[in-house]
mmCIF file of all heavy atoms in Angstrom:
data_model
loop_
_atom_site.group_PDB
_atom_site.id
_atom_site.type_symbol
_atom_site.label_atom_id
_atom_site.label_comp_id
_atom_site.label_asym_id
_atom_site.label_seq_id
_atom_site.Cartn_x
_atom_site.Cartn_y
_atom_site.Cartn_z
ATOM 1 N N LYS A 38 -2.656 10.494 -2.245
ATOM 2 C CA LYS A 38 -1.786 9.291 -2.434
ATOM 3 C C LYS A 38 -1.254 8.838 -1.068
ATOM 4 O O LYS A 38 -0.921 9.639 -0.150
ATOM 5 C CB LYS A 38 -0.606 9.685 -3.291
ATOM 6 C CG LYS A 38 -0.926 10.385 -4.582
ATOM 7 C CD LYS A 38 -1.505 9.394 -5.580
ATOM 8 C CE LYS A 38 -1.759 10.027 -6.830
ATOM 9 N NZ LYS A 38 -2.452 9.220 -7.829
ATOM 10 N N PRO A 39 -1.170 7.494 -0.856
ATOM 11 C CA PRO A 39 -0.576 7.028 0.374
ATOM 12 C C PRO A 39 0.982 7.237 0.392
ATOM 13 O O PRO A 39 1.652 6.778 -0.546
ATOM 14 C CB PRO A 39 -0.878 5.487 0.349
ATOM 15 C CG PRO A 39 -1.051 5.132 -1.157
ATOM 16 C CD PRO A 39 -1.577 6.346 -1.785
ATOM 17 N N CYS A 40 1.434 7.924 1.402
ATOM 18 C CA CYS A 40 2.785 8.373 1.429
ATOM 19 C C CYS A 40 3.460 8.052 2.782
ATOM 20 O O CYS A 40 2.743 8.002 3.847
ATOM 21 C CB CYS A 40 2.939 9.857 1.201
ATOM 22 S SG CYS A 40 2.366 10.414 -0.340
ATOM 23 N N LYS A 41 4.752 7.800 2.725
ATOM 24 C CA LYS A 41 5.512 7.678 4.010
ATOM 25 C C LYS A 41 6.158 8.998 4.246
ATOM 26 O O LYS A 41 6.914 9.538 3.404
ATOM 27 C CB LYS A 41 6.569 6.576 3.846
ATOM 28 C CG LYS A 41 7.378 6.249 5.109
ATOM 29 C CD LYS A 41 8.246 5.131 4.897
ATOM 30 C CE LYS A 41 8.932 4.744 6.315
ATOM 31 N NZ LYS A 41 9.630 3.514 6.179
ATOM 32 N N GLY A 62 6.332 13.716 1.988
ATOM 33 C CA GLY A 62 6.179 12.384 1.960
ATOM 34 C C GLY A 62 6.442 11.709 0.567
ATOM 35 O O GLY A 62 6.437 12.479 -0.423
ATOM 36 N N ILE A 63 6.815 10.451 0.576
ATOM 37 C CA ILE A 63 7.142 9.723 -0.678
ATOM 38 C C ILE A 63 6.068 8.752 -0.888
ATOM 39 O O ILE A 63 5.715 7.959 -0.027
ATOM 40 C CB ILE A 63 8.513 9.019 -0.565
ATOM 41 C CG1 ILE A 63 9.633 9.962 -0.183
ATOM 42 C CG2 ILE A 63 8.871 8.269 -1.858
ATOM 43 C CD1 ILE A 63 9.970 10.954 -1.194
ATOM 44 N N ASP A 64 5.444 8.775 -2.091
ATOM 45 C CA ASP A 64 4.408 7.845 -2.449
ATOM 46 C C ASP A 64 4.935 6.430 -2.345
ATOM 47 O O ASP A 64 5.983 6.103 -2.892
ATOM 48 C CB ASP A 64 3.857 8.100 -3.873
ATOM 49 C CG ASP A 64 2.651 7.263 -4.287
ATOM 50 O OD1 ASP A 64 2.695 6.061 -4.001
ATOM 51 O OD2 ASP A 64 1.771 7.803 -4.930
ATOM 52 N N ILE A 65 4.221 5.579 -1.586
ATOM 53 C CA ILE A 65 4.753 4.167 -1.334
ATOM 54 C C ILE A 65 4.640 3.319 -2.640
ATOM 55 O O ILE A 65 5.344 2.255 -2.623
ATOM 56 C CB ILE A 65 4.029 3.500 -0.127
ATOM 57 C CG1 ILE A 65 2.527 3.374 -0.479
ATOM 58 C CG2 ILE A 65 4.275 4.265 1.145
ATOM 59 C CD1 ILE A 65 1.722 2.605 0.611
ATOM 60 N N PHE A 66 3.960 3.693 -3.650
ATOM 61 C CA PHE A 66 3.894 2.919 -4.914
ATOM 62 C C PHE A 66 4.775 3.470 -5.947
ATOM 63 O O PHE A 66 5.337 2.771 -6.715
ATOM 64 C CB PHE A 66 2.437 2.780 -5.339
ATOM 65 C CG PHE A 66 1.603 2.059 -4.400
ATOM 66 C CD1 PHE A 66 0.547 2.689 -3.721
ATOM 67 C CD2 PHE A 66 1.832 0.726 -4.110
ATOM 68 C CE1 PHE A 66 -0.270 1.998 -2.801
ATOM 69 C CE2 PHE A 66 1.008 -0.006 -3.191
ATOM 70 C CZ PHE A 66 -0.027 0.607 -2.562
ATOM 71 N N THR A 67 4.815 4.869 -6.072
ATOM 72 C CA THR A 67 5.504 5.405 -7.254
ATOM 73 C C THR A 67 6.848 6.194 -6.853
ATOM 74 O O THR A 67 7.570 6.582 -7.781
ATOM 75 C CB THR A 67 4.625 6.443 -7.996
ATOM 76 O OG1 THR A 67 4.325 7.544 -7.038
ATOM 77 C CG2 THR A 67 3.257 5.818 -8.397
ATOM 78 N N ASP A 68 7.127 6.266 -5.608
ATOM 79 C CA ASP A 68 8.302 6.965 -5.096
ATOM 80 C C ASP A 68 8.247 8.490 -5.382
ATOM 81 O O ASP A 68 9.297 9.154 -5.410
ATOM 82 C CB ASP A 68 9.617 6.364 -5.619
ATOM 83 C CG ASP A 68 9.835 5.008 -4.957
ATOM 84 O OD1 ASP A 68 9.343 4.790 -3.830
ATOM 85 O OD2 ASP A 68 10.563 4.141 -5.538
ATOM 86 N N GLN A 69 7.105 9.042 -5.798
ATOM 87 C CA GLN A 69 6.959 10.468 -6.040
ATOM 88 C C GLN A 69 6.851 11.230 -4.807
ATOM 89 O O GLN A 69 6.289 10.721 -3.864
ATOM 90 C CB GLN A 69 5.699 10.704 -7.008
ATOM 91 C CG GLN A 69 5.747 12.088 -7.554
ATOM 92 C CD GLN A 69 4.639 12.231 -8.724
ATOM 93 O OE1 GLN A 69 4.086 11.237 -9.025
ATOM 94 N NE2 GLN A 69 4.384 13.428 -9.030
ATOM 95 N N LYS A 70 7.434 12.376 -4.800
ATOM 96 C CA LYS A 70 7.468 13.267 -3.539
ATOM 97 C C LYS A 70 6.307 14.194 -3.535
ATOM 98 O O LYS A 70 5.928 14.799 -4.520
ATOM 99 C CB LYS A 70 8.804 14.106 -3.640
ATOM 100 C CG LYS A 70 9.104 14.856 -2.377
ATOM 101 C CD LYS A 70 10.375 15.632 -2.616
ATOM 102 C CE LYS A 70 11.066 15.990 -1.396
ATOM 103 N NZ LYS A 70 12.302 16.712 -1.653
ATOM 104 N N TYR A 71 5.669 14.315 -2.346
ATOM 105 C CA TYR A 71 4.569 15.218 -2.153
ATOM 106 C C TYR A 71 4.786 16.055 -0.955
ATOM 107 O O TYR A 71 5.351 15.577 0.037
ATOM 108 C CB TYR A 71 3.228 14.457 -2.042
ATOM 109 C CG TYR A 71 2.773 13.740 -3.286
ATOM 110 C CD1 TYR A 71 3.071 12.382 -3.446
ATOM 111 C CD2 TYR A 71 2.111 14.387 -4.227
ATOM 112 C CE1 TYR A 71 2.641 11.659 -4.586
ATOM 113 C CE2 TYR A 71 1.765 13.770 -5.435
ATOM 114 C CZ TYR A 71 1.956 12.447 -5.626
ATOM 115 O OH TYR A 71 1.605 11.810 -6.730
#
Side-chain angles (χ1 to χ4, degrees):
K38 308 288 184 186
C40 298
K41 183 174 186 175
I63 304 293
D64 187 316
I65 60 175
F66 296 114
T67 64
D68 291 333
Q69 192 168 348
K70 187 183 205 179
Y71 292 98

